[in-house]
Structures are given as C-alpha cells and as structure tokens.
Amino acid sequence: MIKIDRLTKRYGDPETGPLVLDSLSLQVATREIAAVVGPSGAGKSTLAQCTTLLERPTSGSIVVNGDELTGLGARELRLARRRIGTIFQSDGLLSRRTAAQNIALPLEYLGVTKAGVRARVGELLDRVGLLDRAHHYPHELSGGQRQRVGIARALALRPTVLLSDEATSGLDPDSTASIVALLAELRDELDLSILFITHEMETVLAVADTVARLDRGRIVESGALVDLLRDPDSELGATLRPHRAAQQAGAGEAPWRVQYGEDGVPADWLSVLAAELGSPVSLLGASIETVHGRVVGHATIGLRATDAPLTVAALRRLGLEGVPVSQPTAAPARARALETAS
Amino acid sequence: MTAARIAGPLVSVSVPPLEIPALVLPALVDTLVMVGIVMSIVVLLGVPLGALVHNLAPGGLVENAALHRPLSAVISIGRSLPFLILMASIMPFTRLITGTNIGIAAAVVPMAIAGIAFFTRIVENSLRGVPADLVRVSRAAGASPLQIVRTVQLGEAVPSIIGGLTINTIAMIEYSAIAGTIGAGGIGYVAVTYGYQRFDHGVMVATILTLVALVALVQFAGDRLVRVATPRARITRATTPRSIPA
Ligand SMILES: Nc1ncnc2c1ncn2[C@@H]1O[C@H](COP(=O)(O)OP(=O)(O)OP(=O)(O)O)[C@@H](O)[C@H]1O
Ligand SMILES: [Mg+2]
C-alpha cells in the first residue's frame, strides 16, 4: 500500500527551483491498480521517482508498506526499496547480461545463494512466459519480451508494491495488451498495489481501478474508473470513453450526452423516455461495455423537448445521467477556457 | 655479447643483418616486461580511480564537489605534462621508490603515473557512456553504490574500457621508447643507441618494424576482445532469418 501525502517536488533549489509536484496526495490500496494519466511534463515520472526516493521530495510524506521513506537513511532506504518493484519505460536491461542474468540482479544484490538465485529466476521466467528465452541477450528479444524481463526483475524480491512508469509505451497493441493482462494477473496472485503511470487511455480502461489525472504537478481529477466513466460531467471520463463519432443532431433537435448512472437501465429506455417527455427521441450514437464487471454505457441522443430539468429528472428515473451538449464533439471546458485566455 | 656491442667504440660499424634479431629480440622482451608491469599497475589503480572520479562528479552516486575538484585537477596535471618532462621532473621520487635512475625499474614509475592519469580519464569517459536509466533501475532494486559500480557501470562499459585499454597500451609502448632514451632499455633504447647515435639503418628499420608489428598486434587483440565482450557484435544464434526481398 502506498500513501503519498502533500508531496511537493522542486528540482534544484528547494525554494526557487521549478515546481514539478505541488502538494500532491494519492493513495494506492492493497490489490488496487491506480492509474495516473496526464500530459507530457505533468510530473508523472517525477511522482514515480519520488515514490522510491530516487528523487528526494522537497516536502511531504511517502509511506510504503507502513514505512515513512523520507525519514530513512541510505541503508534502510535500500532495504525499503527491495520491497518496491519498479518497471520503467526503457526496460533498463544490462546489455551484456542474458534475460536470466538480468532477472538475477536484484537477488545478487541481496546476496542470495547461487542455487537460490537459479530457482527463483526459473520461477520468474516461467511466470512471465520466457523460459525459452532465458539465455537470450536483450538485443535478441522483442520490445514486449524485454518488458517482461523487466517485470520479472521487478518481482524478483517479492515486492508488495509495483511502480510502472509507461511500461507499455512504444509497444505494439498486442504486446501492450498482454503486458497489461500480465500486470492484472500478478496483482491478483501477489496482492500487489500497483501505481500505473501511462498516457494510453485504452490501457487505463483495461486495467485500472482508480484513475487520477495529473496536470502541472497537481491532481486535477480522480476517482474510481467506473464512477468517472458514468459521470457525464467528468472530463476524465469523457477522455477515457472510447470516442465514437455521433451523428449530427437533426434540425430542431438538441443533442444530449447520456451515461449509465446505475445498473439495471431498461433495454427500451429510449422509447420509455420518449413517452415520458411526450416528444420523439433520436439515437445519434451509443456504446456499451463492461468495466470491472459493471456495465458502462453512454449515448448521444437528440431531443425535441426543451425543458432541461424535466429531461434530467426523466433520465434519472431510468437510471441515466444526462447533460445537454452544445455540439456533439464539445471540447472540454478547461481547454476552451485556455483558448479564451490566450 | 649485447653489452659488449653497446659498449663498443663509437664508430659507424653496422651490426651484421644476421645479428640484428639477437639485438632486437631481447630488447623487445624488455619492452614487453616494462609495458606489462606498467599496464598491470595502470589497470589496478586506474579502474577504481576512474570510477571514483566519475561518481564524485555532479550527478554521480557519491556526488561530492569538494573531493571531485582536487582529484580531477591532479589527474589533469598528470595528463597535460609531456611524458619526457614528467619523467625528468619526478626523477627524485623515482629514485626514492626504486633506488635507481636508470633501467626498467626506473622507467616503470613515470610510465605508471602517466598511464594511470590517462586510463583514469578513459575509464571515466567510458562510464559516462552508460545510460543513467540503467543506474536508476539498479538503485530502485536496492543496490549499494559499490554494487552499482561493479555490475552496471563497469559491467556495461567493459567493451568501451577494453577499447581504451588498447589505446592506453599503445601509448605505453610509445612511452617505453621515450623512456628508452634515458637508458631504460627496450626497443627504444636500441633505436636510439644504434639507429640514432650510430646511424645504423639496419637496426633502425628492424626496431621500426618491430614496433609497428607490436602495435598492430595489440590493436588486433584489443579489437577482438571488444567484439567478444559485446553480445550485440557476437554472432550468437540465428534468431532472425534473413529477410527475403518481396
Ligand atoms: N532531473 C530533472 N531536473 C530538472 N527538471 C526536471 C528533471 N526531471 C524532470 N524535470 C522537469 O519536471 C517536469 C516533469 O517531468 P516528468 O518527467 O515528471 O514529466 P512526465 O509527466 O513524466 O512527462 P512524460 O509524459 O513526457 O514522461 C518537466 O517540466 C521536466 O522538464
Ligand atoms: Mg515520464
């Protein structure tokens, strides 16, 4: 479990250096995969580095497995780090060591016996599906295979916490999917807390329990993935939802964005809604998917009725959340605000 | 016999061609002994020193400007003095250590000092080429600075350091020839006493050919070692079949 409290990081001078993380708080519970997304330069990697104290926080507290890391000396910190597995975007494999030798590295640092290393490395290679690649050098492996070696190495010391910084960026969709699936399985098997940093929304949808959006060193939005997806006002939810081009609303119709707010929405909700509003409802676009076993649906509909509060109430009765949209592909409110400001 | 010839009268009597090997080969052995001893010392001290300088520098594992600056300055001085001047200027120190001013023992001291300064920079430069990511990964795995230096920095830099070692060894062969001029023995000594002072072209050519061959051999061996130490450059197994043009 990871508990980050009011973490502030300035590079260089602690008073005047650039503020990269601004009093950021974040928790990752046991068996939870917490995704952190955000634009380039938002501070995601800095957050990962501060979490293992590879970068020293300027202020704030970082508790991993109950240890306050910021108070530890070099020696205790090395011990604490052994309980945190880290996966980097660059696989970080040593080019002159085979896959097996790379995985063995953390065990060698710890002083595990040769026989112990061999047994554990075998287990790990088997777990990540690379037994037949044990004696291959990094340049003889594919990007996905190298990342698997990196994961095996991160797991070598049986950590309870895993930090993954852009572990799948640069991989093809198939490799990405299999790496993400592997992480989810490992979470279940090993009761890991995973801090999963990414900029790929599909991987967030596939694996995350919670999502936080980081922007300029602050968490601007966060919550459980399903809640965000079902919240029509959520910017993060809107970014995460797969974009399907909706038809333009017809003349005299106002487009609305509708989300499943709770389970058990009737299958014929469109006709029920039309009956309740006493005017026709046209379906402009829709999609339904299952996230963590819960149904997440969204739709764009065209309404002739003009009374917004009445419509919202009618939707609620059906278990739906809706908001009118000025255009079917409305830019997020904040982006618009920025445009006006400049 | 060699000694008698060297001590002989200073007239332009050329060494008969058949006797040149008997003159040059023992000198070659002396050169090899000198360079061998020097390079052992250079590697033994230059590697740790290079790693230390690299990691005391800003961004290093044990960053410390107060120690880095003087250490780096001393090495720079060692690097910047021409070898002949270095050799002459540390003569008293050499005598203190070896009890003599001439011969192999006396040559080894200035050569080792120049060589260590040279190799320290080579090692430092090689370590600088190791990606910072790799160091970070090992730090994250709980490695101590010494473990990181050994497994990551030096481990990854082995091919580059071997390449540097080749350059350094060749430089030491050159220095041994310079040291030969003050009576250290070896090929340089033969070249100076016979080729230069007695205008014996036969001996001169023989020493030049010997030196060229020696340097070429060192370079060849070094290049081979670099290849062996670089997995990417080795032909290990046919993992990818050659692509067939469509
Ligand atoms: N070692 C450093 N020294 C000074 N500034 C740094 C350092 N590392 C990062 N920064 C700055 O901190 C900011 C955040 O960088 P960071 O790498 O954490 O972003 P990120 O969210 O991971 O971006 P990306 O998605 O591109 O990886 C950037 O403005 C960057 O220039
Ligand atoms: Mg980053």
Side-chain angles (χ1 to χ4, degrees), chain A residues 49 52-55 78-79 81-82 84 86 88 90-97 105-106 108-111 135-137 139-140 153 157, chain B residues 133-134 136-145 147-148 150-152 154-159 228-234 236-237 239:
Chain A
Q49 308 240 353
T52 39
L53 249 70
L54 289 176
E55 283 293 344
R78 283 206 289 278
L79 294 177
R81 277 187 189 139
R82 291 178 171 151
I84 305 173
T86 312
F88 295 90
S90 67
D91 47 63
L93 302 182
L94 299 185
S95 67
R96 299 184 61 250
R97 285 178 167 245
L105 212 50
E108 287 173 17
Y109 292 150
L110 193 66
H135 304 299
H136 284 57
Y137 286 91
H139 76 274
E140 299 171 314
R153 181 189 51 197
L157 301 180
Chain B
D133 282 6
L134 300 185
R136 202 174 305 140
V137 168
S138 281
R139 280 178 67 207
S144 69
Q147 288 174 322
I148 295 174
R150 198 168 48 77
T151 59
V152 183
L154 292 176
E156 280 295 289
V158 162
V228 170
T230 312
R232 198 181 281 279
R234 284 202 297 255
T236 36
R237 71 201 103 219
T239 38

Side-chain angles (χ1 to χ4, degrees), chain A residues 44-45 165-166:
Chain A
K44 304 185 296 294
S45 295
D165 187 4
E166 307 268 12

Side-chain angles (χ1 to χ4, degrees), chain A residues 79 109 121 158 174 194 208 225 233 261 270 281 283 290 292 312 317:
Chain A
L79 294 177
Y109 292 150
V121 168
R158 305 179 198 277
D174 284 350
I194 305 183
L225 176 66
D233 293 326
L270 274 172
V281 176
L283 184 63
T290 314
H292 300 312
V312 168
R317 282 196 293 278

